[in-house]
């Protein structure tokens, strides 16, 4: 009996140690680059076909900004779905979908959402395939006052800029049919850090705001699906940057606020 | 070190406290970095198997006589395996009931689904660890070492105390595991007490852990949001069947019985109290997490 037990333990070690080494080698050869500040979920896609399989469930006691960073080394499309019982500010429903293909190295699908208190969960739909999906997530408690302000924006009261921001443009989108209409021009003469907050209450039609210029494009900063772009910080080299609006068959309003931009500087 | 003819409750309590603290601290460090499979192997080999083995070497104890590392009849082996499977259903039922109760009264603890941690190697390590390593190492520790010590304290009910200690140790896996693991621990303790063989409890433990993987994991009982109604009957039936199976085991109790009752030393009492406080703190931490007081 004693001999049998120790032989089993020895054989276990002979099997287990190579498994540990192989696992460590696999980790060291990882093509993923999730920043350290994220908590990582690693999902083996080769175990079974996944249909809305629960990956993660979290409880938010208060409003929080949730950042997601998603990478995968397999080519087939996978759908990652974030479902929240609390409100997702800036979105119509309580669900946010991500289509994830092969994204390794510096490539990733990233999102930052502001969630109300409650549970949120991540689900995965994916065919069985060789490869791994890595999801980094981070929760940062939101300032209750900021959450209250953005909730007002979310509910359609758009004239609620963050502290230090000033309104440079607003429009009633009902009946406004424009395509790439210039609504504001940024012309810094020296490198300048600019904060941009763009809100719309449009829920139908087509609404998009693009920032174009200086060799950089930020396309569809907001849309009817993502109605809030709050405090986006851009460092702009000298040049001309055009903020353009497209609105077709839309409803609601649009507000643009800026911080730190001084004309002629 | 003072030599003793067999483990004392003082030795058991000191080692048990250290094992619990080190296992928890080590798991916090290693599980997220090395994976839950590798972490299980470290716990089983380094903190659970090694200390009583070293102690036996230092003290010159016979593993066969003191830890009862000896074989038993084929009939006893078979009955132990069957009892492990049947009692798992009762344990699973109790665990699920406790989880539903705690979820309803205290709130749900945020957790990551097991799939989120899986890599093929970690999964294999976890399966092998659960079915082979944990039954050998934990039985060596709890039934071989701790139970031997407590049978000197209470020859008749030492196995019950060791079983409850085994169950309370599982508070590190969650409050829901304490009662079911205690029940399994007492059953395994009884097998060793009756047969004088660690083989019976090892086989029981293997069968219960394999059932957990097979019925809990593969058949999806662990992840089912609502308990199937037939589980009420299966759980009760499992308990009754286990009692019948345990009674049917051929006993050899006399070989290790004629010992004088030993009093617990002040040091033993101190470490037992420390262990209880440590487990209470672990339980309080889970309650605080469920209530949302801590993350």
């Amino acid at each position: 009996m004693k001999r049998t037990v120790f032989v089993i333990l020895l054989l276990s070690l002979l099997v287990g140690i190579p498994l540990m080494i192989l696992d460590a080698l696999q980790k060291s050869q990882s093509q993923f680059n999730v920043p350290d500040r994220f908590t990582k979920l690693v999902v083996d896609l080769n175990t079974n076909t996944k249909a809305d399989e629960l990956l993660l469930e979290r409880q938010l006691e208060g409003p929080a900004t949730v950042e997601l960073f998603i990478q995968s080394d397999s080519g087939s499309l996978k759908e990652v779905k974030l479902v929240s019982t609390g409100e997702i500010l800036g979105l119509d429903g309580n669900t946010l979908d991500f289509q994830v293909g092969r994204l390794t190295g510096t490539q990733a699908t990233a999102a930052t959402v502001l969630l109300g208190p409650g549970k949120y969960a991540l689900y995965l739909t994916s065919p069985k395939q060789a490869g791994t999906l890595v999801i980094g997530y981070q929760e940062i408690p939101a300032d209750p006052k900021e959450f209250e302000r953005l909730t007002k924006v979310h509910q359609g009261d758009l004239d609620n800029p963050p502290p230090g921001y000033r309104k440079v443009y607003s429009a009633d989108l009902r009946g406004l049919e424009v395509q790439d209409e210039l609504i504001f021009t940024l012309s810094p003469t020296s490198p300048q850090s600019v904060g941009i907050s763009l809100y719309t209450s449009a829920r139908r039609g087509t609404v998009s705001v693009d920032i174009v210029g200086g060799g950089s494009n930020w396309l569809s900063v907001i849309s009817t699906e993502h109605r809030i772009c709050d405090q986006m910080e851009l460092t702009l080299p000298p040049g001309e940057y055009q903020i353009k609006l497209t609105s077709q068959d839309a409803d609601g309003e649009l507000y643009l606020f800026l911080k730190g931009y001084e004309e002629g500087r | 070190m003072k030599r003793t003819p067999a483990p004392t409750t003082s030795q058991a309590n000191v080692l048990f406290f250290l094992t619990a603290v080190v296992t928890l601290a080590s798991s916090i460090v290693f599980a997220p970095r090395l994976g839950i499979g590798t972490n299980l192997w470290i716990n089983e080999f380094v903190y659970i198997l090694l200390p009583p083995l070293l102690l036996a070497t230092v003290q010159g104890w016979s593993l066969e006589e003191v830890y009862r590392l000896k074989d038993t009849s084929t009939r006893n082996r078979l009955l132990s395996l069957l009892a492990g499977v049947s009692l798992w259903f009762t344990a699973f039922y109790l665990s699920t009931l406790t989880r539903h109760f705690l979820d309803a009264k205290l709130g749900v603890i945020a957790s990551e689904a097991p799939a989120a941690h899986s890599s093929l190697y970690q999964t294999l390590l976890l399966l092998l660890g659960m079915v082979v390593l944990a039954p050998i190492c934990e039985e060596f520790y709890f039934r071989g070492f701790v139970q031997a010590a407590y049978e000197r304290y209470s020859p008749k009910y030492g196995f019950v105390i060791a079983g409850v200690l085994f169950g309370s140790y599982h508070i590190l896996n969650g409050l829901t595991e304490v009662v079911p693991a205690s029940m399994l621990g007492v059953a395994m303790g009884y097998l060793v007490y009756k047969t004088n063989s660690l083989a019976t409890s090892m086989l029981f433990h293997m069968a219960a852990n394999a059932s957990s993987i097979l019925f809990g994991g593969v058949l999806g009982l662990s992840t089912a949001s609502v308990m199937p109604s037939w589980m009420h009957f299966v759980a009760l039936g499992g308990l009754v069947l286990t009692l019948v199976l345990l009674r049917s085991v051929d006993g050899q109790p006399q070989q290790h019985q004629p010992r004088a009752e030993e009093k617990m030393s002040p040091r033993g009492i101190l470490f037992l109290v420390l262990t209880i406080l440590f487990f209470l703190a672990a339980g309080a931490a889970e309650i605080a997490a469920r209530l949302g007081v801590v993350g």
Side-chain angles (χ1 to χ4, degrees), chain A residues 31 41 66 82 88 91 126 130 161 166 170 213 228 258:
Chain A
Q31 304 173 66
L41 293 179
V66 175
L82 182 148
I88 307 177
L91 263 66
S126 166
R166 63 187 175 89
S170 68
I228 297 176
L258 293 180

Side-chain angles (χ1 to χ4, degrees), chain A residues 161-233:
Chain A
Y165 280 70
R166 63 187 175 89
K167 185 170 76 180
V168 295
Y169 178 80
S170 68
D172 187 342
L173 300 175
R174 280 168 295 191
L176 184 66
E177 298 291 316
V178 290
Q179 174 81 38
D180 288 330
E181 166 139 321
L182 182 67
I183 59 172
F184 196 82
T185 303
L186 295 158
S187 309
T189 53
S190 58
Q192 203 167 341
S193 181
V194 179
I196 298 176
S197 283
L198 255 167
Y199 310 136
T200 181
S201 52
R203 287 170 187 262
R204 65 174 172 85
T206 303
V207 174
S208 73
V209 174
D210 306 331
I211 304 172
V212 184
S216 302
N217 295 330
W218 290 273
L219 300 174
S220 295
V221 178
I222 56 166
S223 66
T224 49
E225 287 166 354
H226 297 86
R227 301 192 309 272
I228 297 176
C229 168
D230 191 52
Q231 302 179 58
M232 181 170 72
E233 297 272 349

